[in-house]
Structure formats: C-alpha cells, structure tokens
Amino acid sequence: MARYTGAVCRLCRREGKKLFLKGDRCYTGKCALSRRAYAPGQHGQGRKKLSEYGMQLRAKQMTRRYYGVLEGQFRHYYELAEKKPGKTGEELLSILESRLDNVVYRLGFASSRAEARQLVVHGHFTVNGKRVDIPSFLVKPGDVVAISEKAKKNAKFKSLLENGNSKTIVKWLELNRELCEAKVLDKAKREDIDLEVEETLIVELYSK
C-alpha cells in the first residue's frame, strides 16, 4: 500500500499545527514548526483566506495525518461511522482511536504513531493472546493488548518496563505494567481525545 514517505515536518507546517509525528523531537526546539511557523513551498508565507470548502478539507487532512491514514481507508472509516448510532464525527474519531497502532501509542509504548505502526508490523504485540501485525486492526471493549514474550527481551521494552513512562494513559485503557498488558475498557469518547480537530467540518465535507 502506498504511504507518504516525505519529510513529516512539512505536514505540520502545512497544517500550521504540531501533529507530533516525530515523537519527542516535536517537544524540543528542533521542531520545524517552531523554527519556521509557515507553510512549506515558495508561497508558504503568503496570507491565504480559506473558503468554507478549504476549512473542511484542512480539517480532514489534519485528522488523516494525525493518525497516518490514507484517503481510501479514511473514507471507509467514515462510512462505518455513518452506520453507527450517535454523532458521525465522534464515531469516526472513536474508530480511529481503536486502531491497534494508536492504542500502542496511547499506552506509551511508542513516542509517535509512526513508531507504533512499525512496532506492530514487526509483531511485537498480541491481542487476546494472538499475535497481530496489522496496524489498522480495530480493538473492541474487552480486548487485551499485550507485549509479546519475545518483545519483552527487546532493549526498548525492557527500559519501559523497568523505568516506566510518563505518558498519561487515557481513561478507556487500563494498563497493567507487571503483566505488560492493557485492557480496552470502553470505546474512546470525544472528551477523551485530546486532538485539535473539528470533526463536524469533516462530516460537512463528506455530506456534500
């Protein structure tokens, strides 16, 4: 599957917000947005007034980039959200949050969603005791996500297990550090999602 392989800092500059695509680097002075807080390209510093469609498009693109999802897959998630009871925008975010790579990131096992995706692809995690190497795997309430026995010997995970991590675990996940596993307590609710996205604009865009 095709995936963006360019400089991810350009994506943050394009959206004018930190998308935290490079993990710890985004919190330092090395962050590209801190040094060049304008869009990339020849006309990046020009003032641009967005139309209604432009604002809707930017909201959708920003959300896609937060989660590292391609357009076709994002549209599929939207169609799933439409079929669920409740607000479509909130259901869409809940689905995106339930991706396995995002759960691994939320648990603090990776500094960015991109790193979490790589760890999942390398087979370092199990869901309900079965090895899962698909980042887009959607977890459900009651599922148990754990570090595989082989991965526990990895230096990165050893350090995390010995020293812990400072990341605040979201309410819908319950982490057991001793067992190196986490239980999905509930689906993610809008108040549990700390991303600056306007899901109503995404719904307006796709409803046209």
Side-chain angles (χ1 to χ4, degrees):
M1 181 183 287
R3 184 164 295 281
Y4 178 78
T5 57
V8 293
C9 290
R10 289 176 64 87
L11 302 182
C12 296
R13 291 177 59 204
R14 176 63 185 89
E15 302 304 337
K17 289 184 180 180
K18 288 191 178 188
L19 304 181
F20 303 100
L21 303 178
K22 276 203 167 183
D24 296 336
R25 180 188 174 97
C26 299
Y27 297 94
T28 69
K30 293 182 179 180
C31 173
L33 190 64
S34 300
R35 291 183 286 118
R36 291 173 290 176
Y38 51 85
Q42 183 179 356
H43 306 290
Q45 298 185 65
R47 290 187 177 181
K48 295 179 182 178
K49 185 176 180 180
L50 287 178
S51 64
E52 182 182 355
Y53 171 77
M55 290 188 290
Q56 294 167 352
L57 180 63
R58 293 267 56 86
K60 188 259 294 182
Q61 294 293 75
M62 189 184 304
T63 307
R64 280 207 313 107
R65 288 165 175 171
Y66 266 130
Y67 291 98
V69 176
L70 295 176
E71 178 60 40
Q73 198 170 31
F74 191 84
R75 184 61 189 249
H76 173 64
Y77 290 148
Y78 178 81
E79 291 170 355
L80 287 178
E82 267 190 317
K83 297 175 184 177
K84 291 179 177 288
K87 296 181 180 179
T88 301
E90 293 182 6
E91 291 295 336
L92 172 62
L93 292 179
S94 180
I95 291 171
L96 290 165
E97 283 288 310
S98 69
R99 284 173 54 99
L100 182 56
D101 56 356
N102 179 74
V103 170
V104 169
Y105 167 72
R106 290 293 191 189
L107 289 170
F109 293 139
S111 61
S112 67
R113 289 181 177 84
E115 184 184 9
R117 185 179 304 113
Q118 186 180 49
L119 292 173
V120 172
V121 169
H122 288 173
H124 292 319
F125 293 91
T126 64
V127 178
N128 299 329
K130 295 183 179 179
R131 178 175 173 270
V132 178
D133 58 5
I134 303 171
S136 60
F137 180 90
L138 300 180
V139 301
K140 306 181 296 297
D143 284 349
V144 175
V145 178
I147 301 174
S148 68
E149 289 301 319
K150 185 178 179 181
K152 289 176 186 176
K153 301 173 185 177
N154 182 291
K156 173 183 175 60
F157 290 114
K158 269 187 177 180
S159 175
L160 276 174
L161 296 174
E162 290 172 4
N163 306 318
N165 63 70
S166 57
K167 194 175 185 68
T168 302
I169 308 301
V170 289
K171 295 178 182 177
W172 52 279
L173 294 173
E174 183 180 59
L175 176 62
N176 186 322
R177 297 185 189 279
E178 291 183 4
L179 297 178
C180 309
E181 66 181 32
K183 186 174 183 180
V184 182
L185 302 176
D186 197 359
K187 71 175 187 179
K189 295 181 174 62
R190 184 62 185 96
E191 57 267 25
D192 300 326
I193 302 171
D194 56 358
L195 303 181
E196 295 182 29
V197 297
E198 296 183 66
E199 62 275 11
T200 53
L201 293 178
I202 300 172
V203 175
E204 290 172 7
L205 176 66
Y206 280 131
S207 298
K208 291 182 177 180

